[in-house]
Amino acid sequence: MLTLRCPVCGIDADETELSPGGEAHLTRFGPDASDDDFHDYLFTRENPRGVHFERWRHSYGCGKWFHAARCTVTLEVFGTYSAQTTEPPAGIRAVIAEKRPGWSWRGLS
Amino acid sequence: MSDATDIHGGGGARVSGLADLRATGPQGMIVLRGDLADPGLRTAVGAVYAAAWPGAHGVSFAPPRGLCWMSPDEMLLLGPKDAVADDLAQLTAALGDQHALAVDVSDARCAFALSGPAAREVLAKLTPADLSPQAFGPGRIRRSRLAQVPAAFWMAEDGTTIHIVVFRSVAQYAWDLLVGATDPKAPVGLRQG
Ligand SMILES: [Zn+2]
């Protein structure tokens, strides 16, 4: 069972108080995109074995969306952060880099 | 067992077991949406509600009215049911053209109270929220779920009465859950002292 701290209201929320929102930091391809880009936006996900960034909503609490960084193998939570960002913030990346040496994601580490 | 009328209407339904469960009856509730960090919003609320401004995850009362912190942009304002229309009109006037929304939700919610030394562990059967005295002391409010439905609950200043608010559409379900959880044959035994 996951426990994630909602960065909006500060509650340590149980997984069952949250709604999963899938992979975070997707780039949206809209009506003018190529078929391939739109297909990938809809269906292609990273599904990593290890560090993963996800969207969650504190649906039984403050109701707000946020992001979480966790390990899909161990369920270790590296941290949670604002949904108002297009990439994991430096603080979260530093935690991951320390715990998973050599890790990188889209050129960031 | 109480019937639905006792729960939804005038209240008064009561069950005693591990803890004392009551339907507390009509309760005026106004939901206020806006930036709670905004001093202007605070001033407008203060014009109608005498209670001290609660901090995050806190409740504050100046009977018969009170303030419940629901999220960084939501406050639940409690008061007498028959005064809600006046309270709302005053609040709306005080808010003026500020970016905020205040709505009477009294008829959309039901209020219960659970009291007694075992109230914490009775409620803890139904929610994943941390109800330890450290995390849920007097004056603290938590929004979470009771089994499958959303609920908000706060600990009164006496430290043994938990007030619970649920949506009216699921009030019977929540009541039945609570009745089951107070069954004298189902103690938890974690309570200290
Ligand atoms: Zn939250």
Side-chain angles (χ1 to χ4, degrees), chain A residues 6 9 58 62:
Chain A
C6 171
C9 72
H58 193 186
C62 71

Side-chain angles (χ1 to χ4, degrees), chain A residues 1-2 4 8 13 22 26-27 29 42 44 46 51-52 66 77 80 86 93 95 97 109:
Chain A
M1 194 72 83
L2 275 175
L4 299 177
V8 180
L26 298 179
T27 299
F29 288 93
L42 283 183
T44 307
E46 295 194 9
V51 179
H52 194 34
F66 62 92
V77 176
T80 55
T86 54
R93 282 163 20 214
V95 171
S109 58

